[in-house]
Amino acid sequence: MDNFIYIFRAGGIVSWPLLASSIAAVALILERLVFWFKVNQRQRRVVREVLRLYSQNPDSAIKKLQVNADLPLARIFLEALELDSPNIEEFRLVLESAAQAEIPVLKRFNTIFDTIITLSPLFGLLGTVLGLITTFDSLKLGDAAGTNAAGVTGGISEALVSTAMGLVVAIFTLVFANMFRGFYLQQIAFMQEAGGQLELLYRHHYEKLPRESNYAPTR
């Protein structure tokens, strides 16, 4: 703890925005870790069960989706399956629009992560400049007796520590931000795959029904 306080003080004024950035990054990273853990742990299993149930009993599939409505794909499927007698084109359009509506949920906080990754090294660079200004201000060239040794040491420490702090915050945030982007891309691919499978199942049911029947799975 003492070492942290020493490093924090050595970083100068830019330590405060870097500390705020790191706290924000940790809080948002924890939220995203919980979100993606829930999605990755449950969603594929739930979707497989829903697709299997839908081919046998559409009502059971809808009930399964309603129980798991906290999952993005469950909400997408419900939007389409709860329509009143859609044709195949309408069913596809609702699936696509519902998937688009879920994208902001999947990409949540990405802009904040990008901002922290960009600003943290800049704060470190600002600390470097301020530290060098302090160093040169304390350094009396040609007058060793007038040189403020403490000021020179403090300025150099501020320059180095602030740079290191900015890089640490940026690198730490970048690692998790890239991991979340990977989860997002995987999720988009899975949404397209599962949506296509559901559309095929719905087409199969739709084409088997008499044309005068207004078929739609009951809620």
Side-chain angles (χ1 to χ4, degrees):
M1 186 64 182
D2 292 339
N3 288 337
F4 173 79
I5 295 175
Y6 172 78
I7 293 173
F8 183 81
R9 290 177 175 174
I13 193 172
V14 299
S15 295
W16 291 103
L18 289 173
L19 177 64
S21 298
S22 63
I23 292 173
V26 169
L28 300 183
I29 285 169
L30 289 176
E31 192 278 341
R32 290 287 86 188
L33 285 174
V34 171
F35 171 81
W36 284 113
F37 177 79
K38 176 183 68 176
V39 170
N40 292 333
Q41 184 185 44
R42 292 171 47 208
Q43 185 158 262
R44 288 185 178 271
R45 173 176 52 82
V46 169
V47 168
R48 284 196 300 267
E49 292 178 7
V50 166
L51 293 173
R52 177 180 58 81
L53 287 172
Y54 186 77
S55 62
Q56 303 167 0
N57 187 341
D59 290 342
S60 298
I62 291 177
K63 291 177 182 178
K64 182 74 174 180
L65 290 171
Q66 290 170 340
V67 171
N68 295 277
D70 59 325
L71 298 174
L73 257 176
R75 292 192 293 268
I76 293 170
F77 282 10
L78 278 173
E79 286 286 336
L81 293 178
E82 291 183 337
L83 284 176
D84 185 17
S85 304
N87 59 39
I88 296 173
E89 184 63 25
E90 290 172 340
F91 189 84
R92 181 190 302 116
L93 289 174
V94 172
L95 275 179
E96 292 175 353
S97 62
Q100 288 296 319
E102 290 295 327
I103 287 179
V105 178
L106 301 177
K107 297 177 69 174
R108 192 179 183 191
F109 303 135
N110 278 10
T111 302
I112 299 177
F113 288 139
D114 290 340
T115 301
I116 292 173
I117 292 167
T118 303
L119 284 182
S120 295
L122 294 179
F123 280 129
L125 180 60
L126 176 61
T128 301
V129 173
L130 294 176
L132 291 177
I133 290 174
T134 301
T135 299
F136 285 115
D137 186 59
S138 302
L139 187 62
K140 307 297 183 182
L141 297 178
D143 185 7
T147 297
N148 184 351
V152 172
T153 304
I156 294 174
S157 297
E158 180 178 351
L160 296 177
V161 170
S162 60
T163 302
M165 289 175 64
L167 291 175
V168 167
V169 173
I171 292 170
F172 174 80
T173 307
L174 179 62
V175 169
F176 284 96
N178 284 341
M179 182 176 68
F180 297 146
R181 288 191 184 96
F183 289 156
Y184 165 76
L185 294 176
Q186 292 175 4
Q187 186 66 21
I188 292 297
F190 183 59
M191 285 166 57
Q192 294 172 344
E193 176 189 353
Q197 293 175 358
L198 181 64
E199 184 182 339
L200 288 174
L201 289 174
Y202 182 80
R203 182 186 294 271
H204 179 70
H205 281 282
Y206 184 84
E207 291 178 348
K208 284 171 55 178
L209 293 170
R211 286 297 165 260
E212 64 273 10
S213 172
N214 291 324
Y215 171 77
T218 56
R219 300 184 186 184

